[in-house]
Amino acid sequence: MSEHVYKIIELTGSSESSLEHAIQNAVARAAKSVRNMRWFQVIDTRGHIENNQVAHWQVTVKIGFTLDEEGDES
């Protein structure tokens, strides 16, 4: 296994349908501007209630990604 240095960002994704979809939304949005994503960690879950029902799931995740190597043009 090669050695890596990771940078970590924290995001909150939301979804009307599920916790998993909220996580997928956060990862998909990060993928638009972050390269080399390697892992995520769920650090908080919560939801929004409307009319006595769950209206939105909210999941805060930390996403770890490797830094580009020096001289890497990708």
Side-chain angles (χ1 to χ4, degrees):
M1 175 183 238
S2 59
E3 297 176 3
H4 295 288
V5 173
Y6 294 93
K7 181 159 180 77
I8 300 170
I9 58 173
E10 188 172 300
L11 303 168
T12 300
S14 65
S15 170
E16 294 180 348
S17 61
S18 70
L19 294 171
E20 183 177 348
H21 196 242
I23 294 167
Q24 293 287 354
N25 285 341
V27 171
R29 179 58 186 91
K32 291 181 179 183
S33 60
V34 177
R35 295 182 298 195
N36 305 320
M37 292 188 297
R38 300 291 185 238
W39 56 265
F40 72 91
Q41 175 186 5
V42 174
I43 60 170
D44 191 26
T45 57
R46 62 189 166 278
H48 175 96
I49 298 170
E50 288 182 7
N51 300 319
N52 297 321
Q53 295 184 354
V54 175
H56 287 90
W57 295 95
Q58 299 171 330
V59 180
T60 300
V61 295
K62 288 184 178 182
I63 297 176
F65 57 96
T66 55
L67 300 174
D68 288 337
E69 295 293 327
E70 289 185 37
D72 186 0
E73 299 295 324
S74 59

